[in-house]
């Protein structure tokens, strides 16, 4: 051959990029392209799920797809081949190749384009169906009958399309409990099947009959035939477990609390929403505004401890984390520089951010970097808590449910809207005087919102 490069030599292998914050692997959810397809620079080629979010990954090369490295459900380490692209027949180097090659050599900051820094070992493979769960070959006679019924239902013309499932967590839950996703009615946007839909299906008699213990687990059925439920500590659940364990190991935390009369806060919210019906403000937004006022007075709590350098770093901006319960577990999306937002902007941003977190559409960068967390566990119907600090932050404020309770007002007993505020803080960054001052300021603003106006 001459000195020119062959087509094989000019193929470009795109490695799974670093998706941010030290993530070392990602699970392939769905390929957006197939072998033989023509792709352009920055075209999304695959949807992957990390321990933090589900994201689309764009390819920095243009050309024809030669190889897809990995199938849906497979976990790929960062830095390993993801997709191989060849230039179109008769073409030169794929468009954009030279530019991206130089960016990669320079260490481009775009984590969805540049190569990652982590390198895993051998690829792990989780065997799982992409959209529907096939009947278990070791099912009992009753389970086989239920599976046959499910197959008949899936062949119904009304259910001729494949089940709409986005989250691998939902597919895993259905597989482990023997639920045929083609028989599940999705209640998410566009008919997407959510975790709650699968859990609801488990209450059906057919689903209970079809649920067979995983033979690899070795759990024997007991009593009425139900066996132990084994939940692998993987994905987002593993990340949560690791982070909370690290927080408990490293942070000497203390929790203080106080009951407050929130009647004035509720009245203030009602007045604001009556004046601006097109931009309603939530109680959480008002509490966030109060927290921001408190952190301006007591910046010691808007900090983190650098144990290696033996120093405390007080953040210049308040990157407010909001604890949100989702189908994927407890996530804490972050509102960066929340102190710059008006109360109306806080309300809008909180609503949009929590909705995106529950939908799994937030990028990993939005789930890290917080400096203070606000946790409204009152939505679960509980009064108080001693929450674990979201490492490496230094404090977390929790809010319990707001309920009618007897309260003394001007020497008279009255029924008021009462809630409990709990502050958990890192005793290394401050002592009880600072923590108590912050919590008292928050409580006073909840009881008398006019103080908040005077402080801003």
């Amino acid at each position: 051959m001459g000195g020119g490069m062959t087509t094989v030599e000019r193929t470009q292998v795109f490695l799974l990029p670093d998706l941010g914050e030290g993530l070392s692997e990602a699970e392939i959810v769905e390929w957006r392209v197939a072998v033989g397809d023509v792709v352009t620079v920055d075209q999304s080629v695959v949807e992957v799920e990390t321990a933090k979010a589900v994201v689309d990954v764009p390819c920095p090369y243009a050309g024809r797809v030669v190889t897809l490295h990995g199938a849906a459900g497979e976990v790929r380490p960062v830095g390993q081949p993801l997709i191989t692209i060849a230039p179109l027949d008769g073409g030169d180097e794929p468009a954009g190749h030279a530019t991206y090659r130089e960016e990669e050599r320079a260490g481009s900051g775009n984590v969805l384009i540049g190569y990652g820094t982590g390198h895993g070992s051998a690829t792990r493979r989780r065997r799982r169906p992409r959209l529907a769960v096939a009947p278990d070959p070791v099912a009992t006679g009753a389970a086989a009958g239920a599976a046959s019924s499910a197959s008949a239902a899936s062949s119904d013309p009304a259910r001729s399309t494949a089940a709409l499932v986005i989250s691998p967590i939902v597919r895993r839950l259905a597989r482990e409990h023997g639920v045929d996703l083609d028989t599940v009615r999705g209640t998410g946007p566009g008919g997407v099947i959510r975790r709650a839909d699968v859990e609801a299906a488990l209450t059906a008699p057919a689903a209970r009959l079809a649920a067979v213990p995983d033979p690899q687990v070795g759990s024997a059925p007991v009593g009425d035939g139900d066996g132990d439920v084994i939940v692998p500590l993987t994905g987002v659940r593993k990340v949560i477990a690791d982070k909370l364990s690290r927080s408990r190991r490293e942070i000497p935390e203390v929790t203080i609390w106080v009951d407050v009369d929130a009647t004035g806060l509720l009245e203030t919210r009602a007045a604001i929403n009556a004046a601006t019906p097109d931009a309603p403000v939530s109680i959480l937004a008002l509490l966030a505004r109060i927290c921001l006022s408190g952190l301006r007075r007591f910046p010691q709590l808007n900090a983190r401890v650098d144990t290696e350098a033996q120093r405390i770093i007080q953040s210049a901006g308040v990157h407010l984390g909001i604890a949100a319960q989702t189908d994927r577990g407890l996530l804490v999306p972050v509102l960066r520089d929340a102190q710059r937002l008006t109360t109306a902007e806080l309300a809008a941003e909180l609503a949009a951010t929590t909705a995106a977190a529950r939908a799994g559409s937030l990028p990993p960068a939005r789930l890290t970097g917080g400096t203070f967390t606000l946790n409204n566990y009152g939505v679960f119907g509980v009064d108080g808590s001693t929450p674990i600090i979201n490492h490496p932050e230094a404090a977390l404020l929790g809010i319990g449910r707001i309920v009618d309770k007897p309260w003394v007002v001007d020497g008279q007993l009255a029924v008021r809207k009462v809630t409990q505020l709990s502050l958990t803080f890192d005793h290394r960054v401050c002592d009880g005087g600072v923590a108590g001052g912050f919590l008292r300021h928050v409580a006073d603003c909840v009881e008398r919102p006019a103080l908040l106006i005077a402080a801003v």
Side-chain angles (χ1 to χ4, degrees):
M1 292 186 181
M5 296 174 65
T6 67
T7 300
V8 172
E9 290 171 332
R10 286 187 285 117
T11 58
Q12 303 299 325
V13 179
F14 176 44
L15 309 182
L16 178 64
D18 180 359
L19 298 174
E21 299 297 331
L23 296 174
S24 60
E25 64 183 18
E27 178 179 332
I28 297 172
V29 176
E30 180 182 5
W31 283 103
R32 306 293 195 195
V33 296
V35 173
D37 287 354
V38 174
V39 298
T40 58
V41 170
D42 269 358
Q43 178 179 335
S44 175
V45 295
V46 66
E47 181 184 60
V48 300
E49 182 179 33
T50 70
K52 296 183 180 292
V54 177
V55 296
D56 281 310
V57 180
C59 178
Y61 306 126
R64 191 178 304 279
V65 178
V66 175
T67 307
L68 303 179
H69 300 277
E74 183 174 325
V75 175
R76 301 291 294 173
V78 166
Q80 295 301 304
L82 187 63
I83 187 172
T84 300
I85 304 294
L88 299 177
D89 294 341
D92 295 326
E93 191 173 56
H97 167 228
T99 300
Y100 279 94
R101 181 175 57 197
E102 291 305 317
E103 288 182 357
E104 289 150 10
R105 287 174 178 170
S108 171
N110 190 338
V111 297
L112 288 182
I113 298 298
Y115 290 99
T117 57
H119 297 279
S121 54
T123 298
R124 289 193 291 112
R125 179 68 180 269
R126 300 181 192 164
R127 297 187 178 274
R128 67 174 66 186
R130 294 183 62 181
L131 292 175
V133 178
D136 193 324
V138 300
T140 62
S148 299
S149 299
S151 299
S154 65
S155 63
D156 190 318
R159 297 300 305 272
S160 57
T161 59
L164 296 176
V165 184
I166 295 177
S167 171
I169 304 299
V170 173
R171 290 196 296 272
R172 182 183 302 123
L173 181 65
R175 180 198 64 198
E176 291 173 349
H177 293 279
V179 175
D180 186 344
L181 289 172
D182 281 337
T183 67
V184 177
R185 177 179 175 273
T187 60
V192 171
I193 296 175
R194 303 168 63 238
R195 180 173 182 170
D197 301 326
V198 175
E199 291 174 343
L202 290 174
T203 62
R208 290 199 299 268
L209 287 173
V212 178
D214 189 340
Q216 296 179 356
V217 174
S219 57
V222 295
D224 59 357
D226 293 334
D228 292 341
V229 176
I230 306 299
V231 181
L233 200 59
T234 59
V236 68
R237 178 51 54 189
K238 183 178 186 299
V239 171
I240 293 172
D242 291 343
K243 193 164 190 177
L244 295 181
S245 297
R246 182 179 182 184
S247 179
R248 269 292 162 87
R249 286 195 307 269
E250 296 184 6
I251 299 177
E253 61 188 19
V254 179
T255 299
I256 57 178
W257 59 89
V258 63
D259 289 341
V260 296
D261 178 3
T263 306
L265 186 68
L266 293 175
E267 292 172 348
T268 300
R269 180 203 178 204
I272 293 174
N273 290 344
T276 58
D278 294 334
V281 171
S282 64
I283 287 294
L284 188 62
L286 293 178
L287 289 167
R289 170 57 60 208
I290 293 172
C291 280
L292 293 170
S293 172
L295 291 173
R296 185 171 60 186
R297 286 193 172 197
F298 301 94
Q300 299 94 324
L301 294 171
N302 190 48
R304 61 184 174 88
V305 176
D306 184 347
T307 54
E308 292 186 0
Q310 289 295 294
R311 60 182 181 173
I312 298 172
I313 302 173
Q314 292 184 13
S315 179
V318 179
H319 308 315
L320 187 63
I322 303 296
Q325 189 66 46
T326 74
D327 289 345
R328 302 179 64 238
L330 181 64
L331 302 180
V332 186
V334 176
L335 279 61
R336 298 193 66 81
D337 292 312
Q339 79 281 358
R340 298 180 180 178
L341 302 177
T342 66
T343 302
E345 290 170 341
L346 268 175
E349 189 66 20
L350 282 170
T353 300
T354 53
R358 292 188 176 109
S361 58
L362 283 178
R366 288 295 310 278
L367 297 169
T368 55
T371 59
F372 185 92
T373 293
L374 184 59
N375 186 0
N376 179 20
Y377 44 73
V379 296
F380 302 118
V382 298
D383 296 322
S385 172
T386 55
I388 299 176
I389 294 174
N390 186 25
H391 186 279
E393 298 171 17
L396 178 153
L397 182 72
I399 304 100
R401 60 177 180 160
I402 301 177
V403 294
D404 290 338
K405 285 187 177 182
W407 197 262
V408 177
V409 180
D410 297 329
Q412 299 294 320
L413 193 63
V415 176
R416 307 288 283 183
K417 299 292 186 181
V418 178
T419 186
Q420 184 181 97
L421 304 176
S422 300
L423 176 70
T424 299
F425 66 98
D426 185 338
H427 218 318
R428 296 173 298 178
V429 305
C430 69
D431 296 323
V434 170
F438 171 86
L439 185 58
R440 191 64 255 171
H441 175 76
V442 171
D444 290 344
C445 288
V446 168
E447 294 186 334
R448 293 177 290 166
L451 293 176
L452 175 62
I453 298 175
V456 296

